[in-house]
Amino acid sequence: MQLRIFTEPQQGATYDDLLAVARRTEETGFDAFFRSDHYLAMGGDGLPGPTDAWVSLAGLARETSRIRLGTLMTAATFRLPGPLAISVAQVDQMSGGRVELGIGAGWFEAEHRAYGIPFPELGERFDRYEEQLAVITGLWGTPAGETFAFDGRHYQVSDSPALPKPVQDGGVPILVGGRGKRRTPRLAARYAGEFNVPFAPVEDNARLFAGVRAACEEAGRDPSSVVYSSALVLCVGKDEAELARRAAAIGRDVDELREHGAAGTPAEVVDVLGQYAEAGASRVYLQVLDLADLDHLDLVAAEVAPQAG
């Protein structure tokens, strides 16, 4: 099982905070460093304020050398699909081909109001999201020297040179995620290299993975060509005292974390990850909320990762 570190910088983090975590992620052998794409804290003051996902990933692309980098998830409401395709392709070039694009429909209305971003009703957001996937992958997939066009309800593209290109063979991997029963599996089957289930029980992961496999079969795609992944909040301690201290630092209850996250002693967390592996996850994003506690990553790398792999 691959273990990836996932951060929520809108809760309060500078670029330097993210750089410190990304470097420790790389040094300790984790597979990737991912971040959310949000502009407003969900509780707390969020000081010093949000960092832009793709601006910060561009910086990290030049200051790391091995780990994969990406978003979980970029909101389709935030950016136009053409400029987003350009930005992600450029960061891919800057990283030497280590970037992945997690993209969703967008859901947090308050951050849209706070920064003047339109927030349509859910149906329109999903329509726009689907068109963005078509435009982004279409631009990246257009052969060099040819042009790309798209005539959608919300986005129209004509005579685009479809540049720049990602440097990765096949383009930047796309991550689709969520708990939708109909449109989400269909979009994953059509566009995604990876399907992610965020913060859900084992049985929900198994059910949602099965839905994507069925959608792949219906679309004539090999279900095994999709990576199936889970996201879980991380809180590990060598003993109960350390576990309680880490839970308190992120404002969470130990029992609640044990019930819903990758939490407990290293042995307990290895067991939790094993359950998600049995449900079909080959990759887990470990949500790290206290970015100042780099010893947390050291502990997981030393005592959880070797057993989970």
Side-chain angles (χ1 to χ4, degrees), residues 12-295:
T14 64
Y15 172 77
D16 287 340
D17 295 328
L18 295 177
L19 176 60
V21 176
R23 283 177 168 166
R24 189 63 63 91
T25 296
E26 186 160 86
E27 292 164 1
T28 49
F30 290 100
D31 178 63
F33 174 91
F34 270 57
R35 58 156 294 160
S36 61
D37 189 3
H38 284 295
Y39 292 136
L40 194 67
M42 301 155 196
D45 56 26
L47 292 173
T51 50
D52 182 86
W54 288 101
V55 171
S56 61
L57 289 172
L60 296 176
R62 306 301 288 180
E63 299 195 81
T64 59
S65 61
R66 178 188 61 79
I67 51 174
R68 307 287 294 177
L69 301 166
T71 50
L72 201 68
M73 299 283 191
T74 281
T77 49
F78 287 175
R79 303 168 183 88
L80 296 172
L84 177 59
I86 291 171
S87 295
V88 177
Q90 183 178 9
V91 178
D92 193 50
Q93 292 176 357
M94 293 168 71
S95 71
R98 294 182 286 124
V99 161
E100 302 179 17
L101 171 62
I103 183 167
W107 62 269
F108 189 21
E109 184 175 4
E111 69 185 340
H112 293 74
R113 293 197 308 267
Y115 288 96
I117 304 168
F119 187 74
E121 293 298 318
L122 178 60
E124 182 179 334
R125 294 204 308 277
F126 247 91
D127 291 343
R128 288 179 175 272
Y129 171 39
E130 183 166 2
E131 288 190 16
Q132 288 219 358
L133 285 167
V135 171
I136 291 167
T137 57
L139 288 167
W140 290 342
T142 298
E146 297 184 15
T147 60
F148 174 74
F150 179 83
D151 187 18
R153 179 180 178 185
H154 301 287
Y155 303 106
Q156 296 80 42
V157 179
S158 60
D159 297 322
S160 173
L163 298 172
K165 301 296 188 191
V167 299
Q168 295 181 70
D169 290 339
V172 170
I174 299 287
L175 285 73
V176 168
R179 306 185 192 186
K181 296 179 180 179
R182 184 177 61 86
R183 296 186 72 174
T184 299
R186 180 173 59 80
L187 291 177
R190 182 171 182 182
Y191 294 107
E194 178 176 340
F195 175 71
N196 178 265
V197 178
F199 311 110
V202 172
E203 55 271 19
D204 286 1
N205 278 251
R207 174 178 56 80
L208 292 164
F209 292 159
V212 172
R213 291 191 191 96
C216 285
E217 290 172 353
E218 185 177 343
R221 178 179 179 181
D222 180 359
S224 67
S225 66
V226 178
V227 174
Y228 300 91
S229 66
S230 307
L232 295 167
V233 64
L234 179 71
C235 189
V236 187
K238 293 190 300 290
D239 51 37
E240 290 300 318
E242 186 172 78
L243 179 62
R245 175 178 62 79
R246 288 201 164 110
I250 60 175
R252 301 285 287 270
D253 177 78
V254 169
D255 291 339
E256 178 268 325
L257 285 168
R258 274 193 162 112
E259 182 177 357
H260 299 293
T265 63
E268 287 178 289
V269 173
V270 168
D271 181 65
V272 169
L273 295 176
Q275 294 176 43
Y276 280 84
E278 290 179 5
S282 61
R283 182 177 289 165
V284 173
Y285 294 80
L286 299 171
Q287 184 193 48
V288 174
L289 295 174
D290 184 358
L291 301 188
D293 186 3
L294 298 181
D295 291 342

